[in-house]
Amino acid sequence: MPLNPRLFQARLDAMRTSGVRAELRDIRIGLEREALRVDAEANLSRRPHPPELGAALTHSYITTDYSEAMLELITPPGRLDETHAFLAELHRYAYGHLGGENLWCGSMPCVIAGDPDIPLARYGESNAGLMKTVYRRGLGYRYTRSMQVIAGLHFNCSMPDGFWRHEQGGVPDRPAVSERYFGVLRNLLRFGWLVAYLWGASPATCRRFLARNPSDYELESFTPGTYYGPYATSLRLGGIGYQNNLGASTGVQADYNSLAGYIRSLERATSTPCPAYERIGVRQADKYLQLNANRLQIENEFYSSVRPKCVPHGNERPIRAFRMRGVEYVELRALDINPFEPCGIDRTAMRFLTALIVYCLLDDSPDMSEAEQQEAHGNMQWVAQRGRGSGMMLERSGAAVALRDWAEELLKDIRPVCALLDDAYGQAHFAQAWRQQQNRVRDVTQTLSAKMVEDMRMHGEGYVEWVLARSQAHREFFMRQPPDAALNARLDRMAVQSHVQQQAMEAAERETPMSFEDYLAAYEARR
């Protein structure tokens, strides 16, 4: 049942009977897919980011994430089908310049000999480029480099201006839009465990990744080099994944009850010294170990399954962007890479996730207390680590509820949203996506994590062998298909332009030098 059935039904009916329904076709989706570059033996690439793909600092669509060997493909926001097609073309273009390397299709890393084996991403000689590298160096000291090369897929969603005009009766009011987006974020936190159950695809990992005894993580031996959670859905989202929230001494808990509160919580975290990080030190002679010793070096360090987003202008700080323009879209970060799909995600998943976000928008979304936020975090952890277990129980408003019962309730509530979207698009694709998720809720063996474990067992393969075989198959899939000639030419031009832009930045700084220390101070002042 929705949190406020009357409000939900009223909003749903309004969308059915007015011109706003047609606006739903213009919901904007963006995807960010991370992938490690690996060689034929599943070792992390030691080669630099291919220059033919452009300059990672200045390219809009093809860049690097934490490591020089960690590619990130970013689509511009667009209609759902167009966005997936664009992501496919980015993969095809990237493979054309990888020189025989594969893109690792698992969320948990490939064969890594330890932190020294992981090269930091490099962005040139400008202060902006150096800042990005130092920030990553700091992440390595704080959380280990191995933790940073766990890969995910971010699903970005924004409602079209026409939707807000219909709802608000005129020009969209940005503070009101931000408030509605924060309602979506709170509900995604409440229901985010469903994403981990349906699209968790990291139930196993290479033994070399584990820093402690596998039993400390509730893992068991699968093959000599592989450990897995017998009922896990997503080790990436569980106890061995990258987390910096809810910790007692170094953790951060953001306020999702308003934009102003969210900004305040990030301001505190980026300005409050942390004793553990002070012990690391900020500089060692002329080498920066981290940007600062605060709980967060910058806002982007905050890890959460969901985040509000506003596109920064130039080198603008996120909190300043929020103050100037409010929330422009929501970012769902709880998706594992789907190893069964060449792009890491399929259109079916994108359709259901769109319906889930619209549902979260239509339903009421009361403020979250600290206790409720901790409850939501606990549910995510339980599902990530034990979500396929028989009789799995979660906590809702302090009371125990069966995962399957709660999931069935949510699916029942989301079904009319799928019907609404199908009506808007003139097709039945959203209903089909809904039925797939219903099957996964009713039959746990249909989940991605269960299928992955079963396929590994059937082929007698450990994690690394299994993911490598599928990564190679994905490469062959993309290389068999001819590229989009027009987009290919456009990406060629963008690659050249990105190098020119980076070189121009570096040349300008040589003409008007600024020390890195002064650059950081100026950046810090842009609040």
Side-chain angles (χ1 to χ4, degrees):
M1 179 180 296
L3 298 175
N4 186 329
R6 183 174 297 178
L7 176 64
F8 171 75
Q9 193 62 49
R11 286 174 171 171
L12 185 66
D13 289 343
M15 292 178 72
R16 284 170 171 161
T17 58
S18 70
V20 71
R21 181 179 55 195
E23 299 290 347
L24 297 177
R25 293 195 296 269
D26 285 325
I27 291 174
R28 288 300 188 248
I29 304 298
L31 298 172
E32 303 170 44
R33 190 261 164 99
E34 302 161 352
L36 296 171
R37 290 187 290 112
V38 302
D39 65 18
E41 284 74 44
N43 297 302
L44 190 67
S45 173
R46 305 301 299 177
R47 297 171 59 229
H49 180 66
E52 298 85 358
L53 293 178
L57 177 66
T58 50
H59 201 295
S60 300
Y61 305 145
I62 304 174
T63 184
T64 52
D65 191 79
Y66 178 76
S67 172
E68 188 73 359
M70 193 172 196
L71 202 66
E72 183 171 14
L73 304 178
I74 303 170
T75 73
R79 289 186 173 184
L80 190 150
D81 289 335
E82 296 167 354
T83 294
H84 191 271
F86 195 97
L87 181 63
E89 288 301 327
L90 287 179
H91 279 82
R92 191 169 292 111
Y93 184 83
Y95 271 120
H97 298 88
L98 290 185
E101 292 180 335
N102 296 298
L103 293 179
W104 192 245
C105 70
S107 280
M108 299 306 292
C110 56
V111 178
I112 296 173
D115 275 18
D117 192 45
I118 302 171
L120 294 178
R122 299 187 296 273
Y123 299 96
E125 299 175 357
S126 68
N127 281 322
L130 179 58
M131 180 177 172
K132 290 172 75 73
T133 297
V134 172
Y135 166 61
R136 284 157 173 76
R137 184 179 296 135
L139 294 177
Y141 281 116
R142 291 173 178 221
Y143 313 104
T144 75
R145 292 190 181 189
S146 299
M147 198 72 67
Q148 299 303 310
V149 292
I150 298 174
L153 192 146
H154 301 168
F155 183 87
N156 304 322
C157 182
S158 62
M159 300 301 291
D161 282 345
F163 170 83
W164 299 118
R165 284 195 297 269
H166 275 87
E167 183 176 87
Q168 298 176 10
V171 177
D173 176 68
R174 299 316 305 178
V177 170
S178 294
E179 182 179 348
R180 291 298 305 281
Y181 274 136
F182 266 89
V184 172
L185 292 166
R186 290 192 295 274
N187 280 340
L188 285 174
L189 287 173
R190 290 180 173 108
F191 312 138
W193 58 265
L194 182 63
V195 176
Y197 176 83
L198 294 173
W199 289 286
S202 54
T205 187
C206 175
R207 174 65 180 90
R208 292 190 184 186
F209 177 80
L210 302 175
R212 303 198 306 270
N213 191 302
S215 62
D216 293 343
Y217 306 110
E218 302 181 22
L219 301 182
E220 299 178 7
S221 177
F222 187 83
T223 65
T226 296
Y227 280 83
Y228 81 121
Y231 304 109
T233 63
S234 175
L235 299 184
R236 167 179 167 267
L237 296 173
I240 66 174
Y242 171 33
Q243 300 176 47
N244 58 19
N245 55 336
L246 303 175
S249 59
T250 61
V252 177
Q253 181 161 326
D255 180 353
Y256 283 95
N257 291 330
S258 68
L259 177 57
Y262 186 81
I263 290 174
R264 283 194 300 269
S265 59
L266 290 189
E267 282 187 314
R268 283 195 299 270
T270 54
S271 60
T272 302
C274 174
Y277 302 153
E278 287 178 323
R279 288 192 289 273
I280 294 171
V282 175
R283 294 177 67 172
Q284 191 176 75
D286 292 333
K287 180 181 180 180
Y288 272 81
L289 306 181
Q290 53 185 337
L291 296 177
N292 53 61
N294 297 329
R295 288 193 169 192
L296 298 179
Q297 298 173 87
I298 56 177
E299 297 91 327
N300 288 347
E301 185 175 341
F302 175 58
Y303 182 86
S304 175
S305 60
V306 296
R307 288 198 302 204
K309 298 289 284 190
C310 180
V311 178
H313 292 174
N315 205 27
E316 184 179 43
R317 291 193 66 160
I319 53 177
R320 178 173 175 79
F322 283 134
R323 284 197 177 99
M324 299 298 293
R325 298 180 297 283
V327 181
E328 294 179 340
Y329 63 96
V330 298
E331 179 186 49
L332 177 60
R333 301 161 55 85
L335 288 165
D336 284 348
I337 304 296
N338 182 346
F340 298 99
E341 290 295 326
C343 284
I345 188 172
D346 61 13
R347 289 179 172 87
T348 301
M350 293 171 66
R351 292 184 182 111
F352 187 84
L353 291 168
T354 301
L356 172 63
I357 288 173
V358 173
Y359 169 72
C360 289
L361 177 71
L362 295 180
D363 197 7
D364 195 12
S365 184
D367 286 354
M368 293 186 80
S369 65
E370 182 176 339
E372 187 181 7
Q373 200 166 336
Q374 290 174 337
E375 181 180 86
H377 177 76
N379 285 338
M380 179 68 85
Q381 291 290 293
W382 293 335
V383 173
Q385 295 174 195
R386 300 182 289 275
R388 288 186 287 110
S390 176
M392 178 68 189
M393 304 296 290
L394 303 178
E395 190 175 5
R396 181 169 60 182
S397 301
V401 57
L403 180 153
R404 179 170 174 175
D405 290 345
W406 194 356
E408 290 274 15
E409 289 177 23
L410 284 170
L411 286 174
K412 181 180 179 182
D413 296 339
I414 294 169
R415 188 171 192 175
V417 176
C418 290
L420 173 69
L421 290 167
D422 275 338
D423 193 22
Y425 280 82
Q427 56 193 17
H429 292 164
F430 287 87
Q432 292 170 1
W434 182 90
R435 283 192 292 272
Q436 182 189 78
Q437 310 325 312
Q438 184 188 51
N439 291 338
R440 290 176 177 174
V441 167
R442 294 181 174 179
D443 181 2
V444 71
T445 66
Q446 298 303 305
T447 59
L448 294 180
S449 53
K451 286 183 174 182
M452 182 174 169
V453 171
E454 179 58 28
D455 207 56
M456 289 167 58
R457 184 175 286 120
M458 183 176 67
H459 286 88
E461 295 175 324
Y463 174 73
V464 169
E465 295 80 10
W466 188 88
V467 176
L468 179 62
R470 272 128 203 90
S471 299
Q472 292 169 335
H474 294 341
R475 173 186 172 82
E476 293 169 4
F477 169 82
F478 285 116
M479 296 303 287
R480 281 197 304 268
Q481 300 178 354
D484 180 313
L487 180 55
N488 213 59
R490 177 185 170 197
L491 292 172
D492 282 341
R493 292 192 299 271
M494 290 183 69
V496 173
Q497 291 165 359
S498 67
H499 285 297
V500 171
Q501 184 179 353
Q502 177 176 319
Q503 292 163 6
M505 292 171 60
E506 294 170 349
E509 290 190 6
R510 286 193 293 270
E511 292 180 7
T512 314
M514 174 186 284
S515 70
F516 186 60
E517 184 177 8
D518 289 342
Y519 179 85
L520 288 184
Y523 182 83
E524 173 66 23
R526 299 190 196 109
R527 289 182 176 269

